[in-house]
Amino acid sequence: MDRFAYFEEAQQFYINHQKLIVAGGNESLHHFVKVLAYLHYKHPAMFKLVNLRLYLLPTTKNALGDFIASHDPIYRVTVYNNFYKKYICPYLKLKDAEQHKNTVREKIPADTTDYLPHVVSEKFLQQYLREAIRPVNVYIYEVKCYRDLPTKDAEGNSTSVPDEVIPFWGFVEIGREVEKEITKSKERVNFFRKQFKFFKMGVQAFAMDPYGREYVEAEEVVRDIHELSVCNVPRMGDRGTLSSPLRDELELVYLDYESASIEKNLSNKASVKNMSSDSQKLVVNSLYTSIHSQRINISTHMTERFHIMVDDAVYGPFAAIEIRPMLVDNKH
């Protein structure tokens, strides 16, 4: 019998509690979310049976791990510092009370294995799985991608079928950083071999007020986009308003080519160099446009299509994308 069919038939009898460890960085978590979204689409009844608990184990750069560690000191010490930062060292035994007073420690015997780093890490992992009780409920979004410009209705929603739908938990990027990644990974046409300047793009963001209500009117603005990011999870070095995965909204932040030129020239000005680091950040952040939004439409106004980087995974090229909340039973 198919295992999914077995789960669906057993729905009325029990709820199965499952713990899954997701180890790795941004891209590893991204591909896991893609698989989870696919299974939820194909077998929705299965998720009504299973109480799925995910335990994040960052081993490389992981924005969600950074966010949880900044809010939970126990997670930071036992999981984040141990598996990502690798600050944990083997324990040292105290010989006796007298040495304890003098803070003199004895080296561990060669045959003692209880204090080796991998054993200590395993103990911390078991403690994490056993004692972690506070959930972090992260909102998931999706990117609808079109290789050709789609047709739209009066409300700005596309009436065309997307060529690809990509779920994401963290961020979507377009522009400078993505083109750097593409150039490093594969040989490109002459357009991408030149120093990247901008994409001429139309950006339509349905902005939200502080109470989470969407503005009725959202006009498309055309900009020479040098760098654009849509963030659900804050990252080190983010400009503009920082996002939060606990809020039901995204942060759209972009830098046009004119502002990018100003930012480049600011570093050479003596008046800026003499400022404090906080003042310098304020000056630079003022060049970025930041918008709270749940629904975002981005399309090219050039003959060239653009690539996107979703949670550190590169996709494309596309002519247009739409970013929307991922709905389950008509709920986000």
Side-chain angles (χ1 to χ4, degrees):
M1 179 184 292
D2 180 57
R3 67 184 65 183
F4 297 114
Y6 173 78
F7 278 130
E8 292 172 2
E9 289 182 4
Q11 179 176 0
Q12 55 183 327
F13 299 110
Y14 68 93
I15 294 179
N16 191 14
H17 298 274
Q18 296 288 340
K19 294 183 178 181
L20 292 179
I21 299 175
V22 183
N26 291 329
E27 191 170 353
S28 299
L29 183 56
H30 168 70
H31 291 299
F32 176 81
V33 169
K34 285 180 66 176
V35 172
L36 203 63
Y38 174 80
L39 288 176
H40 201 288
Y41 174 74
K42 288 291 185 180
H43 307 280
M46 183 184 70
F47 286 85
K48 296 179 181 179
L49 302 172
V50 178
N51 180 12
L52 192 60
R53 300 176 182 179
L54 306 180
Y55 293 78
L56 185 61
L57 202 66
T59 56
T60 61
K61 184 177 66 173
N62 192 307
L64 185 56
D66 295 342
F67 175 81
I68 297 174
S70 66
H71 287 74
D72 187 342
I74 298 177
Y75 178 86
R76 181 173 65 248
V77 172
T78 59
V79 179
Y80 185 79
N81 287 350
N82 189 22
F83 291 94
Y84 178 30
K85 295 298 184 180
K86 298 180 175 58
Y87 291 153
I88 306 299
C89 296
Y91 289 160
L92 299 176
K93 281 187 175 180
L94 297 174
K95 187 174 182 181
D96 51 34
E98 187 65 29
Q99 286 184 340
H100 177 64
K101 293 179 182 179
N102 299 325
T103 65
V104 177
R105 297 177 180 269
E106 181 186 31
K107 292 185 178 181
I108 302 171
D111 59 346
T112 301
T113 59
D114 292 342
Y115 306 96
L116 295 177
H118 72 278
V119 178
V120 175
S121 298
E122 183 180 353
K123 290 180 178 179
F124 278 132
L125 179 59
Q126 293 295 338
Q127 179 185 355
Y128 176 39
L129 295 174
R130 184 174 61 250
E131 300 180 6
I133 58 174
R134 181 179 295 178
V136 179
N137 298 315
V138 179
Y139 287 99
I140 303 297
Y141 294 82
E142 61 184 15
V143 188
K144 297 179 180 179
C145 307
Y146 303 87
R147 292 189 175 87
D148 298 309
L149 291 176
T151 56
K152 296 182 180 181
D153 57 18
E155 297 180 356
N157 296 315
S158 173
T159 57
S160 303
V161 177
D163 295 290
E164 194 169 355
V165 179
I166 307 168
F168 73 96
W169 59 267
F171 50 88
V172 178
E173 288 186 288
I174 300 172
R176 177 178 58 184
E177 296 302 322
V178 184
E179 299 309 317
K180 283 183 181 179
E181 191 67 25
I182 293 171
T183 305
K184 286 191 297 183
S185 61
K186 58 179 70 175
E187 186 177 352
R188 304 297 296 169
V189 294
N190 291 333
F191 175 78
F192 293 112
R193 288 177 182 168
K194 298 177 183 178
Q195 184 179 4
F196 176 74
K197 294 183 178 180
F198 60 84
F199 284 121
K200 184 174 286 294
M201 290 181 160
V203 180
Q204 184 183 30
F206 296 82
M208 304 176 72
D209 63 19
Y211 300 100
R213 294 174 301 194
E214 206 174 72
Y215 292 121
V216 177
E217 296 182 1
E219 296 183 357
E220 183 185 62
V221 295
V222 180
R223 295 286 186 271
D224 295 335
I225 299 296
H226 181 69
E227 183 178 352
L228 182 148
S229 63
V230 179
C231 292
N232 185 38
V233 177
R235 298 171 297 166
M236 185 70 68
D238 275 353
R239 303 296 188 183
T241 307
L242 294 180
S243 57
S244 171
L246 307 181
R247 295 200 308 259
D248 193 10
E249 61 185 32
L250 298 166
E251 292 296 333
L252 166 65
V253 180
Y254 67 82
L255 179 72
D256 60 31
Y257 183 65
E258 182 179 356
S259 299
S261 302
I262 296 174
E263 180 185 15
K264 186 177 180 179
N265 294 330
L266 280 176
S267 59
N268 300 324
K269 292 192 174 182
S271 57
V272 176
K273 289 182 179 179
N274 295 330
M275 292 181 179
S276 64
S277 59
D278 290 338
S279 298
Q280 290 179 11
K281 289 180 181 178
L282 288 174
V283 172
V284 173
N285 282 346
S286 65
L287 299 174
Y288 288 75
T289 301
S290 183
I291 303 173
H292 308 283
S293 181
Q294 258 194 352
R295 298 191 297 149
I296 301 167
N297 301 332
I298 301 171
S299 58
T300 182
H301 280 240
M302 304 170 60
T303 56
E304 300 291 343
R305 294 181 174 89
F306 57 89
H307 287 76
I308 62 175
M309 188 157 62
V310 184
D311 301 335
D312 282 349
V314 178
Y315 296 89
F318 303 114
I321 62 172
E322 294 179 347
I323 299 176
R324 298 288 187 271
M326 185 175 177
L327 301 180
V328 177
D329 296 332
N330 294 322
K331 295 181 181 179
H332 189 199

